[in-house]
Amino acid sequence: MAFSSALTITDLNDFLAPGQECIKPVEAPKMLLREPGAAEITIGGDGSYYESGKKLQQAQITLNDCLACSGCITSAESVLVAAQSGDEVLNVTRTLPPGHIVVLSVSPQTLAALASSSSTTLQDTLDRIGTWARSTLRAQAVFDTTFARHISRHETVREFHERKSASTPGPMLAGACPGWVCYAEKTHGAMLPLMSATRSAQAVMGVLVKQWLARKWSKQPSEIYHVTVMPCYDKKLEASRPDFAPDDVREVDCVLSTGELAQLMRDVPADAPPAELVPLDVDLPRLLTHAGTSSGSFLHALLADYAGRNPGAVLTHTERNADWSDYTLADADGTTLFRGATCYGFRNIQNLVRRLKPKHSAVVRRKAATAVADVTAYDFVEVMACPGGCVAGGGQLVKGRSAAKDVEDVYWSIGEDLKALQDAERLMDDIGRDLWGKDTGLRDQLLRTSYKAVESDVVGLGVKW
Amino acid sequence: MTSPTHTIDPIAVLEGHDERVWDVAWNPSEPLIASCSQDKSIRIASYAQTTASGDLDFANIAQIPTGHKRTVRALAWAPSGKTLAAASFDSTISIWEREDGDGEWECSATLEGHETEVKGVAFNHEGTMLATCGRDKSVWIWEVHPDSDFECLSVLMEHAQDVKSVAWHPTHDILASASYDDSIKLYIDDPSDDWFAFATLTEHASTVWDVCFSPCGRYMASASDDTTIRIWKARDTKFHEWNCVKIIEGAHSRSIYSIAWTTADGTLGWIASAGGDGRVNVWAVTEVAEGVDVTLIAQRDETHGVCDTNTVRWCPRPGKQNVLATAGDDCAVRVWGVVPSTG
């Protein structure tokens, strides 16, 4: 299988790596496991394997296998690419039954990366993707995910206050990063109660498209093929979670990385839009800017909320390292109101997790309190797996800190528009009335998710010590 | 082979482990030696000079059950001699210190993060950093804070396979790792970014089991499953470029698991090697124009009976630098003196 250039993450030295041993291939047919030379296996023109003229069955590993298995920290990239690829999107959109429609939702980090690489604006980039997608994918609606992010941030604040009033032990940890979620579920089950249950922007977008817009458009969820474009391969994993596929209908059918979209736009250039394609009349706000971080700005949603309730509060910001910043909000007399942090990258996650874990009191007798940060004093930590956060995600066009800086600059090129945010707030309320009304259970079902620790069952036999 | 000028004479046998002994570590500042085993315990013995002739007398002073759920594979003392780090197949590293300096040995920290078996552990020359490596192909660098707090500085995923051991340069913060992918990698910190691998040495034909630096820091020796030992020389004063300047072949008939370098008068020092054939070899290394000459000065077979010898380590303490310890599958630690042949 040919990997896209965007898939090579070997130049990053701080990432969540695939596990060394995927246990699924052991179920491959026995004939594949013979000694080398025992049979001649040839590769046919279609890429299939043939043994003595007989076509061999290919070992198939689905995303759901990866989610259920604890063998890897994140799943093998080849699996991700095979299941949700540009080719898959082309195949599905070209053979869509009559009456079915295609919707594309693009992350703002994707727009920033594409705009940065072609020296255009975010708006131009979104328009260009829209024109291309209408022609090539017959997409009837192209959104960005900033409005979904608006809802996700709003829900994060709501969940935070719920936890506070229920005296749930903190800190609350952001749950929007699928790499972090997957890692925590597989190796740090003790972190899961701290994890924010609020859906990520992508998962909220799934609800908006398959529930709210579907109703407005008089479509069944299964009649909409929903493609998202994300800065991160692990979003493919997130979209495959059962929570996001009620009644086996996925809310996000396929996730492409920024690099995969760019490749697809190069490989399949746009023609004129097909005549019968009529744009849909219901729309969502686009290109909303939420001040703070370029990784969803969840921490700043809480900071803004606290600052709004405490006029005159003073925010201090200290950088521990490039990917770990502390934010403290104090009132005029110096009393701390809120403590939060952004904590990105595998090694910072390690240090965070180690300090949040209960000590092995039976064996470990700790001495005096350490000089290092007491992470349990945080109210909220915006945890992201990638160093540099989502703009520097593994699915972006180029890697490295300086490239991410350029993308970051474009990301912030549209200032915060209060009028647009107020409009978004009103639409959000309308949608709430339409979707769940006063039914908080239904609301939680649509805006929250849950996490489950995966027990390791991989035994490393057959490895030379 | 020229006839050896030295012999490897037994000094002591330290028994007490119930299963194979994986590693042995001499304390750099006190007369103590620690060993670890598949029995999940660490044993610590003290030694003292009993006679004018310099014989060493060993006494077991501690047996630590550790609490590790699987084999304790490797040990490392901090340069201060006050802290002992133990790497276990249960994916954790435990840190041991003595209460008030001379009381019971207590676990002061447990480092988690490795996915599977941890196989190597080493403190840097200042004791400010700890490196660990393991079967998950990763090398971790931890910063040592006061009061047994450790902060992860870097997770290096450079090797394609199991990482067998890690070793720090004696004077600079340069780390070497040896792997089942047949390579050695060298790492350094980029102050503006992260640690990175600046060199990969690929000349071994099979697993590299162990790597060590010369006391002067300008050379490095590696031991491999290909039954060779290679000596590498730094081409520049910043130690950025390393070339193989010597291949020692035919000294072992099976995998070489362990290699150690000690100081010795008038030379670059002595190298000791041990492996699956139970043999221990000692070479004197001298510098020549284009690298090094090595002379086999001592050899001993069946150091642990018919069993594998897993580790060989030189005593670092002044006046005792011709003393070495080996750990074997016969559940014993054996202490040897490398002394001039008589007659």
Side-chain angles (χ1 to χ4, degrees):
Chain A
M1 177 190 305
F3 290 103
S4 71
S5 61
L7 200 60
T8 54
I9 49 175
T10 46
D11 50 347
L12 277 178
N13 53 11
D14 184 14
F15 64 95
L16 300 173
Q20 58 174 334
E21 132 179 322
C22 175
I23 61 164
K24 296 309 284 185
V26 299
E27 291 168 11
K30 283 209 169 58
M31 61 178 87
L32 287 178
L33 300 176
R34 274 191 209 158
E35 287 292 301
E40 195 177 334
I41 294 176
T42 53
I43 303 172
D46 60 351
S48 301
Y49 291 86
Y50 292 86
E51 183 182 4
S52 318
K54 189 168 158 258
K55 187 173 176 180
L56 295 175
Q57 195 190 338
Q58 256 188 314
Q60 288 283 346
I61 308 162
T62 69
L63 279 170
N64 290 327
D65 288 331
C66 289
L67 283 171
C69 165
S70 63
C72 312
I73 293 179
T74 62
S75 59
E77 292 147 8
S78 57
V79 181
L80 297 172
V81 173
Q84 300 184 44
S85 63
D87 285 346
E88 171 78 6
V89 169
L90 285 181
N91 287 341
V92 171
T93 54
R94 280 170 182 169
T95 56
L96 221 51
H100 285 228
I101 60 169
V102 177
V103 176
L104 188 68
S105 303
V106 187
S107 77
Q109 293 87 1
T110 297
L111 294 176
L114 293 172
S116 169
S117 77
S118 57
S119 304
T120 54
T121 64
L122 294 171
Q123 184 68 59
D124 285 350
T125 305
L126 182 58
D127 292 345
R128 192 160 54 90
I129 294 172
T131 307
W132 173 83
R134 272 186 291 279
S135 155
T136 318
L137 307 180
R138 305 168 63 84
Q140 269 166 288
V142 177
F143 301 113
D144 65 61
T145 58
T146 57
F147 176 64
R149 179 181 67 195
H150 189 84
I151 297 176
S152 178
R153 293 173 87 239
H154 191 270
E155 188 64 15
T156 299
V157 173
R158 189 169 165 271
E159 183 190 2
F160 181 84
H161 289 298
E162 273 177 21
R163 283 171 175 251
K164 276 279 167 192
S165 45
S167 300
T168 310
M172 184 162 106
L173 308 175
C177 169
W180 154 235
V181 167
C182 194
Y183 178 65
E185 287 188 323
K186 288 178 176 179
T187 56
H188 295 293
M191 295 298 109
L192 299 181
L194 302 176
M195 193 89 81
S196 164
T198 298
R199 286 181 179 227
S200 70
Q202 173 177 273
V204 170
M205 198 67 205
V207 165
L208 288 177
V209 169
K210 295 274 177 130
Q211 303 270 344
W212 190 71
L213 288 169
R215 278 187 220 175
K216 297 275 172 195
W217 295 335
S218 306
K219 296 284 175 193
Q220 292 298 315
S222 57
E223 291 174 324
I224 302 175
Y225 184 65
H226 184 203
V227 180
T228 63
V229 190
M230 291 285 144
C232 159
Y233 287 96
D234 284 345
K235 283 284 171 190
K236 298 178 192 236
L237 269 180
E238 181 190 285
S240 304
R241 295 174 73 92
D243 269 11
F244 304 142
D247 307 322
D248 281 341
V249 179
R250 291 167 61 116
E251 292 170 339
V252 175
D253 293 283
C254 189
V255 180
L256 296 181
S257 70
T258 303
E260 287 167 336
L261 174 69
Q263 186 70 45
L264 201 56
M265 289 174 75
R266 272 196 300 276
D267 291 350
V268 190
D271 299 321
E276 75 272 28
L277 204 62
V278 283
L280 298 157
D281 53 355
V282 184
D283 211 354
L284 297 176
R286 289 188 177 76
L287 297 175
L288 298 174
T289 294
H290 298 105
T293 72
S294 52
S295 303
S297 205
F298 296 100
L299 171 66
H300 287 73
L302 286 160
L303 287 170
D305 175 69
Y306 268 80
R309 291 157 193 262
N310 298 277
V314 180
L315 179 67
T316 51
H317 170 207
T318 22
E319 219 173 73
R320 281 177 182 281
N321 61 46
D323 282 317
W324 190 330
S325 282
D326 282 357
Y327 293 83
T328 306
L329 198 66
D331 67 13
D333 65 12
T335 312
T336 300
L337 299 166
F338 178 89
R339 282 198 58 195
T342 55
C343 175
Y344 303 161
F346 188 52
R347 85 165 159 114
N348 283 333
I349 286 180
Q350 285 306 315
N351 291 320
L352 178 74
V353 164
R354 219 152 33 78
R355 292 187 182 133
L356 284 175
K357 271 198 173 174
K359 297 288 175 285
H360 305 254
S361 50
V363 192
V364 183
R365 199 164 89 199
R366 296 203 44 107
K367 294 172 186 167
T370 66
V372 192
D374 179 11
V375 297
T376 55
Y378 286 136
D379 294 295
F380 179 80
V381 186
E382 189 174 288
V383 186
M384 299 288 155
C386 290
C390 298
V391 285
Q396 294 285 64
L397 298 175
V398 278
K399 308 300 180 306
R401 230 172 249 290
S402 65
K405 173 81 177 60
D406 294 341
V407 176
E408 180 100 26
D409 287 346
V410 178
Y411 184 92
W412 294 115
S413 59
I414 299 179
E416 219 173 16
D417 179 346
L418 287 179
K419 164 86 174 47
L421 291 176
Q422 282 161 4
D423 290 347
E425 206 79 12
R426 270 194 295 278
L427 178 60
M428 189 172 73
D429 293 342
D430 291 346
I431 290 171
R433 267 191 299 278
D434 288 352
L435 283 185
W436 55 79
K438 293 195 184 329
D439 185 344
T440 53
L442 183 56
R443 182 195 170 112
D444 282 357
Q445 194 186 316
L446 295 176
L447 294 184
R448 305 272 175 97
T449 180
S450 58
Y451 309 105
K452 204 170 111 230
V454 182
E455 289 301 317
S456 176
D457 52 12
V458 175
V459 184
L461 297 175
V463 170
K464 191 173 170 181
W465 290 345
Chain B
M1 188 183 81
T2 54
S3 83
T5 54
H6 289 63
T7 55
I8 301 172
D9 294 347
I11 293 175
V13 181
L14 311 179
E15 292 175 315
H17 280 298
D18 297 327
E19 292 182 61
R20 71 168 58 132
V21 187
W22 277 116
D23 199 11
V24 57
W26 296 90
N27 187 302
S29 62
E30 287 181 84
L32 298 174
I33 183 168
S35 59
C36 63
S37 158
Q38 193 164 325
D39 69 10
K40 310 179 188 79
S41 78
I42 296 171
R43 297 182 75 87
I44 297 176
S46 67
Y47 55 94
Q49 209 148 315
T50 49
T51 63
S53 64
D55 286 347
L56 296 174
D57 201 17
F58 284 78
N60 279 314
I61 60 159
Q63 192 266 334
I64 308 169
T66 77
H68 279 298
K69 294 185 185 71
R70 293 182 62 196
T71 293
V72 181
R73 177 64 180 86
L75 294 174
W77 289 99
S80 68
K82 300 201 183 310
T83 306
L84 179 67
S88 168
F89 282 0
D90 70 7
S91 84
T92 68
I93 300 107
S94 55
I95 306 295
W96 300 86
E97 284 174 1
R98 247 181 311 180
E99 189 72 0
D100 305 321
D102 58 356
E104 291 280 297
W105 289 92
E106 294 201 333
C107 179
S108 58
T110 304
L111 308 185
E112 296 177 4
H114 277 285
E115 227 184 298
T116 52
E117 290 94 327
V118 191
K119 300 202 166 171
V121 60
F123 281 97
N124 72 334
H125 67 288
E126 291 177 312
T128 52
M129 285 184 279
L130 181 74
T132 59
C133 67
R135 194 165 75 90
D136 60 8
K137 309 174 197 171
S138 67
V139 171
W140 293 52
I141 298 174
W142 309 79
E143 191 169 42
V144 183
H145 289 286
D147 293 322
S148 294
D149 193 20
F150 288 77
E151 177 156 337
C152 172
L153 287 182
S154 191
V155 181
L156 298 151
M157 299 286 296
E158 301 289 336
H159 282 293
Q161 295 292 338
D162 198 1
V163 188
K164 299 295 188 186
S165 75
V166 279
W168 287 95
H169 189 276
T171 55
H172 285 64
D173 284 334
I174 292 171
L175 181 71
S177 64
S179 167
Y180 184 49
D181 69 8
D182 306 350
S183 77
I184 300 160
K185 290 192 183 271
L186 290 156
Y187 312 86
I188 197 165
D189 186 23
D190 174 353
S192 67
D193 196 0
D194 195 358
W195 284 76
F196 68 101
F198 67 88
T200 303
L201 311 177
T202 56
E203 290 172 39
H204 276 295
S206 186
T207 300
V208 188
W209 279 100
D210 200 10
V211 60
C212 67
F213 286 92
S214 65
C216 67
R218 290 181 291 124
Y219 293 89
M220 192 167 65
S222 55
S224 168
D225 184 60
D226 66 11
T227 73
T228 71
I229 290 164
R230 282 170 191 264
I231 299 178
W232 313 80
K233 182 180 185 180
R235 284 291 164 207
D236 55 355
T237 52
K238 288 187 163 173
F239 314 106
H240 285 177
E241 196 191 331
W242 295 77
N243 298 123
C244 181
V245 290
K246 193 79 189 174
I247 304 171
I248 305 175
E249 290 173 296
H252 288 274
S253 59
R254 297 183 59 191
S255 274
I256 312 173
Y257 293 137
S258 184
I259 191 154
W261 205 322
T262 188
T263 53
D265 287 343
T267 65
L268 284 174
W270 292 352
I271 288 175
S273 64
D277 59 4
R279 173 183 284 181
V280 171
N281 288 307
V282 178
W283 287 274
V285 187
T286 48
E287 198 156 27
V288 292
E290 264 314 300
V292 293
D293 263 349
V294 294
T295 312
L296 184 72
I297 60 165
Q299 186 173 75
R300 188 173 184 109
D301 284 325
E302 297 182 355
T303 48
H304 287 260
V306 296
C307 296
D308 286 17
T309 303
N310 294 317
T311 300
V312 58
R313 291 291 177 253
W314 291 102
C315 180
R317 296 183 21 97
K320 303 282 181 291
Q321 283 152 332
N322 65 327
V323 175
L324 57 81
T326 55
D329 279 0
D330 61 352
C331 309
V333 172
R334 294 173 190 269
V335 184
W336 314 85
V338 180
V339 294
S341 310
T342 47

